[in-house]
Amino acid sequence: MDWLNYVVFSLMGLGILFTVIRFIAGPKLSDRVVSLDTFNMIVIGVIAVLALVFDSALYLDIAIVYAVLAFLETVVFARYLEGKNNDNR
Amino acid sequence: MTIVSYIFLIIGGLFFLLGGLGVLRMPDTFNRIQAGTKATTLGAFSIMIGVAFGAAAVGEWTWIPKLLIIIVFIVISNPVGSSAIAKATYQSKNIPDNLVQDDLKDRGESK
Amino acid sequence: MKYVTTFIALLLVYLLLAGFTVDEVILGSIVSVVLTLILVKRLNFKVDWKFPIKLLKFLFVYIPVFIWKLILANLDVARRVLSPKIPLNPGIVKVKTNLKGDLGKLTLANSITLTPGTLSIDVEEDTIYVHAIDVKGKTESENQANISGPFEKILGGIFE
């Protein structure tokens, strides 16, 4: 059944690849923030699956902390965007 | 148990892929937020259920409360975060020109 | 009553994170008592004897509807993303709500974000501004019935 792990990881890796392309190409700053938010959520999923593959519960604690930090990061970037209402951004 | 786990994991991976594809393909920021938020919320939900089944298959019952906390936190925080980004996007004058209706415009500057 | 509820919530989160052993229960109780004494002045929520019934209603009526809508929303996103020319008719519409409490409005806004084709942008007094991917209704009340109707009924029974 190990080959199924490769399927799961390649699906998630393709998702990460698409968000990274949008992060690089994003025409506006807010597009980059959106892609960063999606990227963080996918990384939480990857960490949870790694916990299953390596059979170690520590990775779940990492995933919890990462989820909290990702939420903080999103809110902080949103606050930053609100302050910057220029037309050329 | 393992087979059920892999089914949920693959469904979750598929929705993550759709989320990434939605963020890449949608034409303006609000639609990107929509696709990204919905797809990744259900993707994370499904991945966590898959990991719970996989952990139960090898007898790791103590993983399930932690996975429950992750699910609850993601389901609460992801919409709030995306709503914050949407509001910030609107206020930074980055409004797409394909809206057919805009009720937020005539709200006035009542902040 | 407020003290007891805060204490139970904190202890439950601690135990879910740390695991159910005797040591952790003792330590978690001490930490939760200290945190309760610090936090309880700053929290404002009311708890009455109907709270367990509301919680059960929340778990067994709201959550299944919510998950079903979430799955529908994702199938909708999948259909839109995978079609070669993305069908769009976006707009920002106003939705009035009858819910009073902050928690009720938060839950309603979250539910709107995770239902098919809608994203809540901002919440004011009793108005939620919603970005819809496909504006169907012509008038305000039609949009309201489409977007927040089913959740408003369920949440009104729980949070009022």
Side-chain angles (χ1 to χ4, degrees), chain B residues 15 18 21-22 25 27 30-31 34 38-39 42 65-66 69 76 79 83 87 90 99-101 103-104 107 110, chain C residues 16-17 74 78 81 83-84 86 88-94 110 113 115 117-122 124 129 131 133:
Chain B
F15 277 117
L18 280 174
L21 199 62
R25 277 200 68 203
F30 288 121
N31 291 324
Q34 288 218 11
K38 280 169 200 142
L42 188 64
K66 284 180 186 174
I69 281 189
I76 292 175
S83 181
K87 192 181 166 194
Y90 195 89
L99 296 179
V100 296
Q101 183 181 357
D103 282 351
L104 201 53
R107 177 179 59 160
S110 66
Chain C
L16 285 179
L17 279 170
N74 278 280
V81 166
S83 55
I86 300 176
L88 286 179
N89 184 22
I92 297 176
V93 296
K94 212 161 40 168
N110 273 4
T113 298
T115 43
T118 50
L119 165 74
S120 56
I121 295 179
D122 200 358
E124 280 189 351
Y129 292 94
H131 175 267
I133 213 168

Side-chain angles (χ1 to χ4, degrees), chain C residues 95-134:
Chain C
V95 173
K96 288 255 188 287
T97 173
N98 294 321
L99 298 177
K100 293 288 183 293
D102 285 344
L103 194 60
K105 275 189 263 186
L106 171 75
T107 318
L108 182 65
N110 273 4
S111 315
I112 287 175
T113 298
L114 294 174
T115 43
T118 50
L119 165 74
S120 56
I121 295 179
D122 200 358
V123 181
E124 280 189 351
E125 299 287 309
D126 60 345
T127 312
I128 300 179
Y129 292 94
V130 176
H131 175 267
I133 213 168
D134 188 4

Side-chain angles (χ1 to χ4, degrees), chain B residues 32-43:
Chain B
R32 280 177 200 144
I33 297 173
Q34 288 218 11
T37 306
K38 280 169 200 142
T40 52
T41 307
L42 188 64

Side-chain angles (χ1 to χ4, degrees), chain B residues 17-18 49 51 54 63 68 70 90 96 102 109-110:
Chain B
L17 175 68
L18 280 174
I49 294 174
V51 173
W63 288 28
L68 195 69
I70 299 180
Y90 195 89
D102 191 355
E109 298 294 322
S110 66

Side-chain angles (χ1 to χ4, degrees), chain B residues 6 14 21 23 40 45 47 54-55 83 92 95-96 101:
Chain B
Y6 274 115
L14 213 58
L21 199 62
V23 169
T40 52
F45 209 103
I47 288 270
S83 181
S92 65
I95 305 163
Q101 183 181 357

